[in-house]
Amino acid sequence: MHTGRNEPCHCGSGKKFKHCCLQKDSSLSMKARLMTGIVVTIMLISLVMVVNSIRSF
C-alpha cells in the first residue's frame, strides 16, 4: 500500500509521513532497485556466456 506524503506515518508516530519515515523508505526502495539491477546484469552476462558456449559447438 502506498502512503501519501501528507498522510499519517505508517509507523504509528503520529507525524506526517514526509516528516517521519519518507527518507528511510526511499532509501530502502533505492537499495532494492540497485540489487535488482545487479541481479539482472549477472543474469544477462550468464546468458551471453551460455550462448557463446553453444555457438562454439
Side-chain angles (χ1 to χ4, degrees):
M1 186 174 123
H2 175 70
T3 304
R5 289 172 39 89
N6 289 316
E7 294 178 20
C9 190
H10 56 78
C11 74
S13 67
K15 297 178 182 179
K16 287 185 179 182
F17 178 64
K18 66 182 177 184
H19 293 299
C20 191
C21 291
L22 175 65
Q23 185 66 34
K24 180 174 60 174
D25 288 357
S26 296
S27 175
L28 291 175
S29 177
M30 179 66 125
K31 288 177 185 175
R33 286 193 303 268
L34 178 62
M35 289 303 296
T36 301
I38 291 170
V39 169
V40 168
T41 302
I42 291 170
M43 290 174 64
L44 287 172
I45 290 169
S46 299
L47 180 62
V48 167
M49 291 173 66
V50 168
V51 169
N52 285 338
S53 68
I54 292 171
R55 285 184 181 174
S56 67
F57 282 122

